[in-house]
Amino acid sequence: MSMITERPVSNSAGQPPVRTVGEAPATGRRDVRAVVAAYVALTKPRIVELLLVTTVPAMMLADGGMPSLWLVAVVLVGGSLAAGAASVLNCYIDRDIDQLMRRTKRRPLPAHTVTPRNALVFGLVLAVISVALMAAATNWLAAGLTLAAIAYYDLVYTLWLKRTTAANTFWGGACGAAPVLIGWAAVTGSLAPAAWGLFAVVFFWQMPHFYALAIKYKADYARAGIPMLPVVASVRRVNAEIIVFSWLTLLSSLAVWPLGMSPIYGVTALVVGGIFVVEAHKLCRRAARGEAVKPMRLFHWSTTYLTILFAAVALDALI
């Protein structure tokens, strides 16, 4: 719909203002863009992207090839809405601590670009739409897992575990690994050993991934009173968990190999998993020596690792 505005037009004849069709004030356009950007930011798009990296390859492996594009599209949309809903509700619940952390104080709620009430409504609407879409277009198992992931992430992890225990990353790991199960269930209506194997990979991967981030923002978490492991535990304890869970990630990925996977996946899992473990050991050695640990190196490589591994899952399924 075009907008009709009136603005004065300067001319030598001194004519009255003319009406311009289809033109809105620049400030109005900027305001709309800012509001849209704020609501998009609440959904944490980067997290959504990472979750989808694991979902589609899991669907392909479950199908033994390429599922119907309609089903893939439905799961991608439903999964994106579900992940976005969980993130919006997370922002709503965490608005008190987000304003205390440098990393999060510019988010829409601490910055007061979106009101808490509007964020809550937005998150709940996204959650209802995502679960309804999964139920209508896939099956009840996939829809139930979607609902459970949203509820667990916001009500169990964000509201309770995150604020009360240093094991919050471990117990919250099921949420991040859930898209693997959801994608598999959407294709088959059930869960097979390979699905649980890939779930284990993502589950264990999250500990070194998020511990690296927590090391980087240790002061932020301490300021907000969040008992992330690097805040409340010794360097030795943090190092031990990073190494243990990095090895468990590698071993879990290799355990999937005999579950119908070819050497394409197996060799990839061995190589990139080995690099992941080496990077984890390097970080821990630097930390033990009191050197600059460069935690974001492990954080970024862990993201690359997961992307490559699941690309190998997709390629294996196609071949």
Side-chain angles (χ1 to χ4, degrees):
M1 181 184 297
S2 63
M3 297 181 62
I4 300 177
T5 62
E6 292 190 359
R7 63 183 177 92
V9 177
S10 174
N11 56 63
S12 59
Q15 295 177 347
V18 297
R19 191 168 62 179
T20 305
V21 179
E23 185 173 334
T27 55
R29 290 196 295 270
R30 284 197 296 268
D31 289 344
V32 171
R33 285 197 295 266
V35 170
V36 171
Y39 278 94
V40 171
L42 285 173
T43 65
K44 302 179 184 177
R46 289 184 179 179
I47 294 178
V48 173
E49 291 173 8
L50 190 60
L51 295 177
L52 297 182
V53 162
T54 64
T55 304
V56 176
M59 294 179 68
M60 295 172 66
L61 185 60
D63 186 77
M66 190 67 196
S68 72
L69 294 180
W70 163 251
L71 181 61
V72 172
V74 166
V75 174
L76 286 179
V77 172
S80 297
L81 292 175
S87 293
V88 173
L89 296 174
N90 168 268
C91 288
Y92 171 79
I93 296 169
D94 277 352
R95 65 191 185 280
D96 59 329
I97 59 176
D98 279 351
Q99 63 186 349
L100 302 175
M101 299 173 62
R102 293 177 182 175
R103 184 173 67 91
T104 58
K105 67 180 181 180
R106 294 183 180 179
R107 286 178 178 174
L109 288 175
H112 305 293
T113 53
V114 177
T115 66
R117 179 181 180 277
N118 287 350
L120 176 60
V121 171
F122 181 50
L124 291 175
V125 169
L126 289 181
V128 170
I129 293 175
S130 65
V131 175
L133 178 62
M134 295 296 287
T138 61
N139 54 67
W140 286 107
L141 178 58
L145 289 170
T146 301
L147 177 60
I150 297 172
Y152 188 90
Y153 181 71
D154 290 311
L155 300 180
V156 179
Y157 170 73
T158 303
L159 200 58
W160 175 36
L161 295 172
K162 183 177 180 179
R163 298 171 184 244
T164 59
T165 174
N168 49 26
T169 303
F170 177 84
W171 293 111
C175 305
V180 172
L181 301 183
I182 293 170
W184 193 287
V187 173
T188 66
S190 62
L191 296 173
W196 288 109
L198 293 177
F199 173 89
V201 172
V202 183
F203 178 84
F204 291 129
W205 164 87
Q206 287 177 97
M207 267 57 77
H209 176 74
F210 284 110
Y211 286 161
L213 188 67
I215 292 171
K216 169 71 173 178
Y217 295 104
K218 178 179 177 179
D220 255 4
Y221 286 114
R223 187 180 302 111
I226 302 300
M228 299 299 288
L229 190 70
V231 175
V232 300
S234 65
V235 171
R236 183 176 180 179
R237 167 74 182 280
V238 176
N239 287 352
E241 292 212 15
I242 288 176
I243 290 174
V244 167
F245 286 116
S246 297
W247 275 101
L248 286 174
T249 302
L250 171 60
L251 295 175
S252 297
S253 68
L254 294 178
V256 177
W257 189 352
L259 300 177
M261 310 296 287
S262 77
I264 293 175
Y265 168 84
V267 172
T268 302
L270 184 61
V271 172
V272 297
I275 297 173
F276 185 37
V277 168
V278 168
E279 287 296 330
H281 276 273
K282 285 182 178 179
L283 183 148
C284 293
R285 270 199 306 271
R286 289 192 294 265
R289 294 170 182 169
E291 302 172 357
V293 294
K294 301 178 182 179
M296 297 308 287
R297 175 169 175 164
L298 177 61
F299 177 82
H300 291 306
W301 169 251
S302 66
T303 302
T304 303
Y305 160 79
L306 199 68
T307 302
I308 294 174
L309 182 73
F310 275 84
V313 172
L315 182 60
D316 199 299
L318 286 176
I319 295 178

